[in-house]
Amino acid sequence: MALITKAVKGTQDILPSEVYKNQFIEQIVIDIAGKFGFRELRIPVFEHTELFQRGVGETTDVVQKEMYTFDDKGGRSITLRPEGTAGVARAFLEHGLFNEALPQKLCYVINCYRYEKPQAGRWREFQQFGVEMLGTASPAADAEVISLANEIFAFLGIENLQLELNSIGCPECRKNYHNALREYFESKKENLCPTCLERLGKNPMRILDCKSPICKEICEGAPAIIDYICDDCSRHFESVKKYLDAMNISYVVNPRIVRGLDYYTRTVFEFVSNQIGAQGTVCGGGRYDGLVEELGGPHTPSLGFAMGTGRLLMLLEAQGIELPKPDACEIYIAPMGENATVEAMRLVSELRSNGISAQTDVAGRSLKAQMKYADKIGARYTMVLGDNEIEQGKANLKNMDNGEITEAELENLGEDFMEFIIRKQTEALQQSLGDDAGSFDWSSIINNN
Ligand code: ATP
Ligand code: MG
């Protein structure tokens, strides 16, 4: 019984009083990405399990431990997407986007599903904003993608976020590195977790991404990939840093970042905060030059990042950054009696056609109860309508913040009210700008149209 009134562990409801923050974030990330030429792509919530096994990698934590996988009624193995890159790469191939202008710049806001241990900043259903740039090997693309994430944080006024950068080389550089890693971990073999023991043979780099505390400690002393990268990869990394410097984006090189997906190559990066607890990575990304080919497509060097919007909201909260709250109700019209109710219904409908959020009584309440309701929903203006008002065609508009009363004609209320609030906003703006703004007569513009 209790189960049906409790959301599944690791999932969250976003209540109406909070959802404006998500709506704002979802809107601005797509807008800012749009300025960089990224176009939104919408991909399915579930895919063939094999896509993630190949695209994310068999030896990753995500595939080995975290996927929501089930057989559908047609006997297909289906997995709820744990991330977006594999689905985007699949869509890129399926729709032949590689034949269009390259690089393809794609972005998305999606919910992802991972069976992880729920804690602050870690959920089983969570939202990511992601971008992918497919079809460019240039280090300028790396800097561009990083600068997009940086731009979003700057736009929101976030500070103290550290950009950590690393290069994990290409399959060529990995040969020597894997040998060095194997040698190191062989000597610590008795303390590694069972999953990592298995990884030792198949993909020793994955051990570096293990969350078990003992494995983490062992990793501290492991050789760093950056010391093993080839000349080409090294030159690429130097160029990325040079472009970031030119864009005035500061970073630190952290040789410990390897990222959780198998097909990452060369540049990897994370934006990390120390203000939101242990799950401090707000954004992570990098190059995946081998992924599209791995999925059976043409050689397509690519890169991207994903930003956890839940962690981003935690960070905004921690830094006391308020997001703009839309007005829930611009005007509440309180009718008294049947005639007034008819007129109130006409008025709110006219107001809404003029783009104004307007509400009236739909619960048959007394005037007193209606005013209480208007106050609760935060109505900015109220208007009481009785038989007198209707007869005279006029009613009082009350500003709920300061009690100011203005008489309004009912005849053309939709348009008049819009003009009225624009005038009020302009006055407030003039006042906040000080006397200098007085030299320009705003009222002449507003009154004449
Ligand atoms: P972590 O090290 O925190 O597990 P990850 O390397 O698994 O992160 P990615 O797959 O790179 O994460 O996902 C990109 C971003 O998505 C992360 O930086 C984080 O902000 C967010 N994210 C990942 N997993 C979760 C989760 N379970 N709950 C909330 N946000 C998450
Ligand atoms: Mg993870």
Side-chain angles (χ1 to χ4, degrees), residues 280-295:
T281 307
V282 179
C283 174
R287 264 198 176 277
Y288 47 90
D289 290 346
L291 174 62
V292 173
E293 230 170 334
E294 179 64 31
L295 297 178

Side-chain angles (χ1 to χ4, degrees), residues 330-342:
E330 210 87 48
I331 176 168
Y332 180 88
I333 299 186
M336 293 186 298
E338 182 54 23
N339 281 346
T341 300
V342 173

Side-chain angles (χ1 to χ4, degrees), residues 343 346-347 350 383 389 392-397 406-414 416-417:
E343 177 65 355
R346 183 189 75 77
L347 287 173
E350 187 183 306
M383 175 183 270
E389 280 78 8
Q392 289 167 18
K394 286 180 191 157
N396 285 339
L397 200 57
T406 313
E407 195 177 64
E409 306 254 353
L410 300 182
E411 170 85 29
N412 215 9
L413 189 66
D416 289 354
F417 185 72

